[in-house]
Amino acid sequence: MSDHDTDDQIEDLPLEALPLDAWHRAKGARMVPFAGYEMPIQYEGIVAEHNWTRESAGLFDVSHMGQLLLSGPDLDAAVEAVLPIDLSTLKPGRQRYSLLLNEEGGVLDDLMVSRMEDGSLYLVVNGATKWDDIGTLREALPDDITLNHMDEQALIALQGPKAADALARHAPEAAALTFMTFGTFALAGHKVQIARAGYTGEDGFEISLAAEAAAEIADLLCGEPEVKPIGLGARDSLRLEAGLPLYGHDLSPETSPIEAGLIFGINKRRRAEGGFPGATRIIREIAEGTGRKWVGLKIEGRLPAREGAEVFSGSEKVGIVTSGGFSPTLQAPIAMAYVSAANAAPGTALEVEVRGKRLAATVAPTPFVPHRYYRGS
Amino acid sequence: MRYFTDEHEWIDVAGDVATVGITDYAQGQLGDIVFVELPAVGTKIEKGKDAAVVESVKAASDVYAPITGEVIEVNGALEEDPSLVNTDPQGEGWFFKMTIADSAQLEGLMDEAAYKDFVASL
């Protein structure tokens, strides 16, 4: 018995332990290498954890992600030269999805940008790319912009329809946040930053807190009847159902955000004005369209098609799967794939090849499972 | 007599027929199994080479032939309910039955006690 693919980022560097390492092990987690850390892939089982998050609330340790704080004179202009974001419309307490692009318009990373009360910018970037991101940002930003890697901070996500109920018992004011807003709150006496956001398609929160408080807060939240710890395995199946891209799989330096359907990551004023890395290609693709598009696929039967599986229309190869698996919610295989624009319309009948077998697949709208973000009552 | 491999397959020998499956340890490592791809009846499989594929939510994993022989029956129940491999891996979750081309190949395999020690050492 052996895994076909070890799709985790295994680097040559020795694996590091995250602040909640011992906490995960005590909860019975199976730990695997991911993004240079040992991380919990599952506790009781991926499907049980997946379903629990969809029905109740799950706690995810995402402390491997990079938390960065940018500050300094003329910060907005400096950052706008690097990211295709319109910072003139990003008010304190709000966060927005953005993209780190190379000069060719390829994706180096996707990230969240939050405006702090003092005008500084708090970024959350992917774990596997954070060191490269820091290098790219330091290189691109003027010397008088300070980049603080907040590596003393942990990051915990609380996701699911009952996340707000559980959190409200400890930080009632945080339950008033709406999707993509954040604030500073007291949680068990610790000062924490809570954003209403996540990566599961469900309502939920991301809590940035001091590493030394992480175990106490994780215990506090998992002490609520709605909350269980959830591993990376379910995190992946949840985000796939939600149609959300995973960097390194669905996004890479070889993909443009326009073909990935992430035009919202290129803010309107920037589409008109340009002035960010890769703008020439991005603006051209917005005007002319792209040769291929990132789409959802529903696959007949029960056999999942995974990353790397080729997509066909008749005998013609028209695309490739970038993420795929079995959807616990739909009880069927689902996938995300780049396919030629001519084959990208929902309802298009295609085939996916898995170990020499052709599986019937249909282009499907995403998300596969509807998002349930809280945008206010 | 039941034998075990270091690839976490079990093989039950009754006369000249061997029944093959994966161990409880293996199913625990794989997690929730959503699909089992079994070899066709009549397939000649070779010790140590691919015989079946198990798809869990997370990944696809190969199952190797513990010995050389020919597949004579497969567990059709797994098509309907692949989770049998999780719930009863060493019983109803069996994969296939095969002939035994060379019974000497059985000698290199572990018995239950040896396999238990092997798993404990992992």
Side-chain angles (χ1 to χ4, degrees):
Chain A
M1 192 188 88
S2 77
D3 281 358
H4 278 183
D5 53 349
T6 49
D7 64 358
D8 308 325
Q9 301 269 347
I10 297 168
E11 297 169 9
D12 295 336
L13 300 168
L15 295 173
E16 290 188 57
L18 289 168
L20 286 175
D21 189 276
W23 188 89
H24 295 306
R25 292 174 199 274
K27 294 277 179 192
R30 186 186 306 158
M31 306 295 279
V32 299
F34 185 84
Y37 298 94
E38 287 210 70
M39 295 195 59
I41 183 86
Q42 65 170 68
Y43 302 83
E44 59 177 308
I46 293 174
V47 172
E49 293 168 29
H50 179 111
N51 292 338
W52 184 264
T53 306
R54 286 268 181 260
E55 288 158 18
S56 188
L59 182 137
F60 302 73
D61 178 15
V62 287
S63 301
H64 64 301
M65 299 186 82
Q67 301 181 64
L68 314 177
L69 191 65
L70 300 179
S71 57
D74 299 319
L75 179 66
D76 286 13
V79 173
E80 284 195 359
V82 186
L83 302 177
I85 191 169
D86 180 359
L87 289 170
S88 70
T89 55
L90 186 66
K91 297 189 178 75
R94 299 200 163 266
Q95 69 174 40
R96 195 176 292 169
Y97 179 82
S98 192
L99 294 147
L100 189 60
L101 303 175
N102 63 23
E103 288 299 332
E104 292 73 47
V107 183
L108 296 174
D109 201 3
D110 61 344
L111 65 154
M112 285 292 181
V113 180
S114 302
R115 174 77 77 184
M116 307 297 286
E117 287 296 334
D118 66 1
S120 59
L121 296 169
Y122 163 78
L123 276 51
V124 179
V125 304
N126 279 298
T129 49
K130 65 184 174 187
W131 301 109
D132 287 343
D133 290 358
I134 290 169
T136 303
L137 291 168
R138 283 227 164 101
E139 183 79 14
L141 292 169
D143 289 344
D144 55 1
I145 300 295
T146 303
L147 189 164
N148 176 15
H149 181 200
M150 303 161 75
D151 54 1
E152 73 292 352
Q153 290 288 105
L155 192 63
I156 290 173
L158 186 67
Q159 299 281 299
K162 297 180 183 170
D165 295 343
L167 184 63
R169 279 177 223 127
H170 303 284
E173 307 82 10
L177 291 168
T178 54
F179 185 57
M180 298 293 270
T181 67
F182 71 97
T184 302
F185 303 89
L187 195 52
H190 300 282
K191 189 180 158 195
V192 302
Q193 184 174 301
I194 302 178
R196 198 144 196 172
Y199 192 48
T200 59
E202 297 294 334
D203 181 24
F205 304 87
E206 288 183 344
I207 305 166
S208 173
L209 71 174
E212 59 266 25
E216 184 191 341
I217 299 295
D219 274 335
L220 181 80
L221 295 172
C222 285
E224 294 302 325
E226 297 92 346
V227 183
K228 286 184 182 181
I230 309 295
L232 283 179
R235 182 170 154 84
D236 191 51
S237 53
L238 288 159
R239 71 92 195 167
L240 179 60
E241 288 185 346
L244 300 171
L246 174 60
Y247 191 80
H249 301 263
D250 307 302
L251 302 175
S252 76
E254 280 71 51
T255 57
S256 93
I258 306 307
E259 57 187 9
L262 302 175
I263 189 168
F264 62 89
I266 319 290
N267 291 165
K268 208 170 166 189
R269 174 171 65 80
R270 308 306 306 281
R271 294 175 207 168
E273 294 177 2
F276 55 87
T280 309
R281 173 183 175 185
I282 301 295
I283 290 168
R284 186 187 68 236
E285 287 187 350
I286 291 170
E288 299 174 7
T290 56
R292 56 177 199 166
K293 288 182 175 175
W294 196 56
V295 299
L297 295 176
K298 280 190 177 171
I299 296 165
E300 268 180 37
R302 288 185 63 91
L303 175 58
R306 304 193 187 268
E307 182 176 4
E310 296 185 331
V311 183
F312 291 86
S313 173
S315 59
E316 186 194 0
K317 185 189 162 191
V318 297
I320 190 151
V321 169
T322 52
S323 284
F326 192 83
S327 161
T329 303
L330 303 176
Q331 284 292 301
I334 56 173
M336 299 297 302
Y338 283 100
V339 301
S340 59
N343 290 287
T348 306
L350 298 171
E351 289 182 317
V352 181
E353 191 167 298
V354 178
R355 296 191 290 277
K357 273 201 290 282
R358 292 286 185 89
L359 311 174
T362 309
V363 177
T366 58
F368 296 100
V369 173
H371 293 164
R372 296 194 285 184
Y373 301 135
Y374 178 75
R375 298 177 193 275
S377 49
Chain B
M1 175 72 190
R2 182 164 286 199
Y3 301 90
F4 295 84
T5 75
D6 56 8
E7 296 285 352
H8 307 287
E9 288 110 16
W10 57 264
I11 169 166
D12 220 20
V13 177
D16 52 4
V17 173
T19 306
V20 177
I22 65 169
T23 66
D24 188 52
Y25 174 83
Q27 71 77 21
Q29 290 291 309
L30 291 168
D32 304 288
I33 290 164
V34 298
F35 189 86
V36 182
E37 189 170 298
L38 295 168
V41 171
T43 306
K44 291 192 169 60
I45 55 177
E46 197 181 329
K47 179 181 165 72
K49 299 282 171 61
D50 296 351
V53 181
V54 179
E55 297 269 2
S56 67
V57 172
K58 181 174 162 42
S61 304
D62 289 319
V63 175
Y64 303 120
I67 56 170
T68 300
E70 184 180 326
V71 176
I72 53 174
E73 187 182 344
V74 297
N75 185 359
L78 296 184
E79 196 175 330
E80 197 65 27
D81 186 8
S83 72
L84 284 172
V85 181
N86 290 121
T87 54
D88 193 10
Q90 287 169 222
E92 281 187 61
W94 62 278
F95 278 30
F96 55 84
K97 295 179 198 269
M98 65 186 295
T99 62
I100 303 167
D102 176 8
S103 56
Q105 287 181 345
L106 297 170
E107 285 163 22
L109 303 177
M110 289 176 267
D111 63 13
E112 185 146 20
Y115 178 69
K116 219 171 149 185
D117 290 345
F118 172 66
V119 167
S121 75
L122 295 175

